[in-house]
Amino acid sequence: MTKIAVFTGAGVSKESGIDTFRDKGGLWDNYSVEEVATSGGWMLDRKKVLAFYNKRRKELEKVEPNLAHTLISGLEPVYDVTVITQNVDNLHERAGSCKVMHLHGELTKVKIEDRDIKNPESIEIGYDSIKLGDTPAKYGREVNPSLMNQLRPDIVWFGENVPMLEKAGQVIFDADIVLVIGTSLQVYPAAGLIDYMNDDAELFVIDPDITVNTSRKIHLIEKPATEGMRIFVNHLKEKYGK
Ligand code: OAD
């Protein structure tokens, strides 16, 4: 089965109504990255960080996957598809994609803030809000009194380790086709993933406004994600007849 690795960023969810980060008027125009997306910001003002992610969780509850998400999951009966996303939303899963790797964490999950624990348990909270003082006990989990039990978003903040990186690199390396959608490719190490592609693989990029720095041949589809995905699916049909 032809293996397709779909590597997505904020642009794939834009037409669902979720803002990107770096486009004009995007999230980072309105919030300080340092304040809400670093462990330093968390130490300084936990309440502010919790409020930022609580708001985004509530927004996520109100939006739906768009046609791009649906067309991606629709490839699964015919191709071996793995989605690697930088997005913290759950729109790929809600559109029916079975194999989704979240490089930067997930909005609907939290974990304890204790930094000495290597892999703290991830707790699914749906669209709940988290407040200061909330611990795993809120979700019926045991609380170890010798740890710092305050719940924090299960998001990979800037400067933190990206636990899924190695597995994602393997998926990219194994792929026959790599399809990049809606990412400015400015945040490393995620952006470096396309360098893991093997020489025989084909690279497609769907984005209305991007410059990709690579010496590889790129099939660039300069369209929004939904329209770009229609073009990509048609291309597959022409090439593989399915
Ligand atoms: P960016 O905001 O950096 O880039 C969004 C990309 O989507 C840009 O290349 C846009 O041109 C493109 N775009 C805009 N509208 C689109 C549409 N309708 N269809 C397709 N593409 C569209 O977002 P990311 O690259 O995802 O990390 O950002 C990477 C990381 O930076 C995020 O995961 C987040 C952020 O800070 C953390 O918070 C750790």
Side-chain angles (χ1 to χ4, degrees), residues 8-16 19-23 26-28 33 36-37 52-53 56 66 68 85-88 103-105 155-159 181-188 190 206-211 221 223-228:
T8 64
V12 78
S13 297
K14 171 82 181 166
E15 289 163 272
S16 290
D19 281 338
T20 61
F21 295 94
R22 295 176 183 78
D23 289 312
L27 267 182
W28 294 152
V33 182
V36 299
F52 173 73
Y53 290 99
R56 297 188 62 207
N66 64 52
T85 188
Q86 295 167 88
N87 297 346
V88 296
L103 288 177
H104 293 161
I155 302 286
V156 177
W157 287 325
F158 284 95
I181 311 176
T183 170
S184 60
L185 294 171
Q186 283 190 35
V187 174
Y188 284 81
I206 299 174
D207 197 302
D209 182 17
I210 193 171
T211 315
I221 304 172
K223 302 280 183 200
T226 52
E227 200 182 337

Side-chain angles (χ1 to χ4, degrees), residues 10 13 25 29 61 66 75 106 157 165 174 182 198 209:
S13 297
D29 272 355
E61 188 175 13
N66 64 52
L75 298 171
E106 293 175 67
W157 287 325
L165 191 69
D174 290 338
N198 71 68
D209 182 17

Side-chain angles (χ1 to χ4, degrees), residues 42-43 46 111-117 120 134-136 143-152:
W42 171 252
M43 302 290 195
R46 289 172 173 76
K111 60 187 181 183
I112 60 168
E113 72 160 296
D114 201 291
R115 295 177 78 186
D116 292 332
I117 303 294
D134 283 344
T135 72
V143 172
N144 180 338
S146 58
L147 300 177
M148 294 175 77
N149 286 293
Q150 170 65 49
L151 293 178
R152 59 159 271 186

